[in-house]
Structures are given as structure tokens and as C-alpha cells.
Amino acid sequence: DGDSYGVLPRPCRALVLLNPQSGAGRALEDFQAVVQPMLAEADVAATVFVTERPHHAHEKVRDEDLSQWDTLVVMSGDGLLYEVVNGLMERPDWEEAMKKPLCILPGGSGNALAASINYYAGNDHVAKKKLLTNCTFILCKGLHTQMDLVSLSTASGKRLFSFLGFGWGFISDVDIDSEKYRWLGNARFTLGTLQCLAKLRVYQGRLSYLPLVPTAQGTPRDPPEPVTNGHIPLPAGTGAPGSLPPDSLLVPLGQPVPAHWTVVPEEEFVTVYAIYQSHLGTNLLMAPAARLRDGCIHLFYLKAGISRTALLRIFLAMARGAHLDLNCPYLCYVPVQAFRLEPRAAAGIMTVDGEALACEPVQGQVHGRLCRIVCG
Ligand code: ADP
Ligand code: MG
């Protein structure tokens, strides 16, 4: 699929969306000291847009004349790129807008996509300034390719687009509880993990999924039904210009999942995490097999009953991507195309790409190659 790659033009006009509050608050300084000189060498002209508040980047890219820019660069954590993706998807011309190559430079405390892209490029595992240098070098080279997104729908009617992961329970609690330690940089997650371990709790709900490949336990009860009009209701307006891509694998949240889905028998979890990139954080290699456009949601869940020691062991092993080798009976992994999570109570925090989401029933499916990203 050679034509899926492209290269940024020279000279290159880059709009850099930069969150000065991200990470330890040094994104602007680091940009000027590390990034700017390298971009100048590579004939990339950077126009910096400093965000003043949450949602600022979302509004900027939703309303921007994109023909002025060859790439939209985010210098922050994953949260700001999440705003950019969803701002672009709100545009009436989203299909055209999503062809604009995006780029992530790690300026935040949670830089999972930057760490993943560094890993896909075959670079050594690095963090902090070295990761920033590697990602800036990747931007200087200017190669870009397609990336999958996951469309998430909530019971209250929200439709969100996610490039990194959806979480519930322990991992999401760590993510949100540790935001007060953002000044620690990536170490905020280590401290947060230890704190959340101390008050370890169980989350009740039902998890269902559509496996990527048919399960080994024989043929499904009902073969997957082709999506035809009338059978699975498509969102109103499908096909009209500007309408969002339909979730052809999902049925409305009010209805049971289709018969060929798998429903997890256990209904008590420590965490559920659906990840679509390799890294959950700079030092957490959660899905070593994940790639930018593998058409796959890597679904992990931890069943209730796991001890604190075993849980800690899993997180320590995740630094090397070796957590599945522990063969812990409480840790489950399945590659899927779609999933649904129905929490029993509005308890616990949910996160999308590290950003908090009100706890309610959610389902999602992968949309292959929906955007473009600068990669190594
Ligand atoms: P980090 O990895 O440090 O969490 P993120 O990029 O995820 O960095 O950003 C965290 C949050 O900061 C996002 O929700 C974003 O909307 C918000 N944000 C963006 N600009 C600002 C600003 N100027 N002040 C405060 N918050 C901001
Ligand atoms: Mg964040």
C-alpha cells in the first residue's frame, strides 16, 4: 500500500498548537530551545498558537482555514491532540480536513502517542528531551501515513473520536488523580499508581466485544450479518455531505449486543482499557503489537480478585511490554474491532485519550485510516 505514505512539502508551513500548561509547564521553553532550531534547518516554518484554556485548540482547528498549513503540530500531551482530532471532526468538511497530516511533539506529562511513534520508528526507548528530539527529527523528515481512529458513542448521545485509548477503573483513576502531580512529568503516573494501589477497589459492569478474528471456540452462533439497510439502523443523515462516518458494527446502546459478539461472563473489574497504540505512557508498553493502522482495538481487562502485589507486578512488567508473559489469570487481552462497556453505576472515572469522561454506557468501533499522522 505504497500510496498511503506521503511527505511534507519544502518549504513546509506548520501550525504549532502549544499548551504552555502541559507537563511540567516547560513546553514553550522546550519548543524554543529544542524544536525551533531543528525545524529551521529542515525548512519548516512554524507559526505557534499558544492555547489559553481548555477547548481553545478545538475551536481553533474547527474554524481555521486549513489551506494555509501543510501540517498541524501539537506540542503538548495527548489531551491537546484529542481536542484537535475532535475539532477537525466537527467541521462540515471533516473528510477533507482529516487528510491534513497531524504531528505530535511530546510537551505534556502523558505522551503516549509520541512514545508509540518513536517505538514504531524502531528507535530506542527514550523519554523527556531525547523523545522530543526524536519526534522533532521525525517531523523534519516529514513522512506521514494514515492512522486509525476509534469512534466512541455514549448513552447520553456524545460521539467522540479517539486515537489512543478508552479506559475505566484503576488506570483511568491513576490518570485523573495524578493530574495534580503534572509538575512531576511522566513520574506522575508512578506516584499515582502507588496511591491508587493503596485504595484498590472493584468496578461493576458488563463488557462485550466483537473479536477481530472469529473465536477459536468454533463458529459463532449466528454468522456476522452483512450491514444492509433496514437491518442495522444507521444514524440519520448517513451519506449526506458532511455527515460523520457511520458505526456499521454497532447497534444502539439500548439494544443487546449482536449475537456474534462475546459478552464477558465476569461483571467485576479492576480496570478495562481499550488501547489502539503501543504505549499507554512513555514508560508503559501496553500493546507491543499495535501499529498506527492495524485496524485493531487492543482490549485489556483485569478481573476483580487480583492482589495488590500481582497488580504491581503487572505494571512493572509493562515497562518492558512483558506483562502478558506473567500469565496472570486475572489479566485478559483480546484484539477486537468493537466493544461495549455498561457500568452498573455511574461510579469510577472513564477516560478517552487521557481526558476525563462522565461514567455512563459507552461503545466504540475502529475506523481504519481515518486521519494522517507524521511518523518515522
Ligand atoms: P498533559 O499531558 O500534561 O496532561 P495535555 O495536552 O493532555 O497535557 O493537556 C491537558 C489539558 O490542558 C487538556 O485538557 C487541555 O484542554 C488543557 N489546556 C490546554 N491549554 C490550556 C491552558 N492554557 N491552560 C490550562 N489548560 C489548558
Ligand atoms: Mg493529558
Side-chain angles (χ1 to χ4, degrees), residues 77-80 109-110 175 179 182 188-189 353-355:
D78 299 301
L80 206 71
S109 48
D175 214 343
E179 285 199 329
R182 193 174 266 132
R188 88 179 217 213
F189 299 109
D353 298 356
E355 300 289 294

Side-chain angles (χ1 to χ4, degrees), residues 355-369:
E355 300 289 294
L357 186 72
C359 187
E360 57 170 330
V362 175
Q363 59 181 356
Q365 77 156 69
V366 67
H367 284 263
R369 308 175 178 219

Side-chain angles (χ1 to χ4, degrees), residues 74-349:
V74 167
M75 171 95 185
S76 188
D78 299 301
L80 206 71
L81 181 59
Y82 172 71
E83 283 195 13
V84 166
V85 165
N86 285 279
L88 292 173
M89 287 303 290
E90 259 183 32
R91 297 169 61 106
D93 67 342
W94 65 266
E95 229 165 332
E96 202 51 39
M98 294 308 274
K99 293 178 186 158
K100 190 69 63 182
L102 308 176
C103 174
I104 184 89
L105 297 178
S109 48
N111 303 304
L113 183 61
S116 300
I117 286 174
N118 183 67
Y119 169 81
Y120 306 144
N123 295 331
D124 287 346
H125 171 80
V126 288
K128 298 179 180 167
K129 284 260 167 71
K130 282 183 179 153
L131 181 61
L132 179 58
T133 306
N134 281 3
C135 290
T136 307
F137 189 56
I138 286 170
L139 172 57
C140 289
K141 286 192 284 184
L143 197 64
H144 53 86
T145 193
Q146 294 155 316
M147 178 167 79
D148 299 337
L149 293 179
V150 168
S151 152
L152 296 169
S153 307
T154 73
S156 65
K158 291 193 202 78
R159 179 103 187 263
L160 306 164
F161 292 88
S162 161
F163 61 87
L164 173 60
F166 165 84
W168 178 57
F170 185 83
I171 294 176
S172 299
D173 290 351
V174 170
D175 214 343
I176 300 305
D177 287 1
S178 70
E179 285 199 329
K180 54 181 175 285
Y181 307 123
R182 193 174 266 132
W183 53 273
L184 278 175
N186 180 65
R188 88 179 217 213
F189 299 109
T190 310
L191 181 59
T193 301
L194 294 172
Q195 286 192 338
C196 285
L197 266 179
K199 51 176 191 196
L200 185 59
R201 47 165 297 202
V202 161
Y203 301 86
Q204 297 182 317
R206 182 177 300 150
L207 177 64
S208 326
Y209 56 81
L210 175 62
L212 187 65
V213 285
T215 42
Q217 298 107 307
T219 44
R221 269 184 300 147
D222 292 333
E225 283 143 3
V227 181
T228 51
N229 11 337
H231 198 88
I232 294 175
L234 294 172
T238 295
S243 67
L244 290 171
D247 288 329
S248 57
L249 302 174
L250 306 179
V251 299
L253 274 166
Q255 296 174 18
V257 293
H260 59 284
W261 283 44
T262 302
V263 180
V264 174
E266 293 86 358
E267 299 203 345
E268 296 199 322
F269 301 92
V270 165
T271 200
V272 172
Y273 209 93
I275 189 166
Y276 356 113
Q277 305 294 344
S278 58
H279 284 66
L280 176 64
T282 320
N283 296 315
L284 292 169
L285 178 49
M286 191 173 202
R291 291 297 178 267
L292 286 173
R293 42 195 172 84
D294 56 6
C296 180
I297 298 171
H298 302 262
L299 179 65
F300 289 84
Y301 57 94
L302 269 168
K303 297 185 281 192
I306 188 170
S307 70
R308 287 188 174 82
T309 320
L311 186 53
L312 183 59
R313 206 173 285 135
I314 283 170
F315 277 90
L316 293 174
M318 211 183 282
R320 292 166 289 122
H323 44 296
L324 287 173
D325 303 340
L326 298 174
N327 290 317
C328 171
Y330 297 95
L331 175 62
C332 302
Y333 164 64
V334 52
V336 306
Q337 303 175 64
F339 69 94
R340 177 188 286 187
L341 178 65
E342 294 159 293
R344 191 168 300 166
I349 299 173

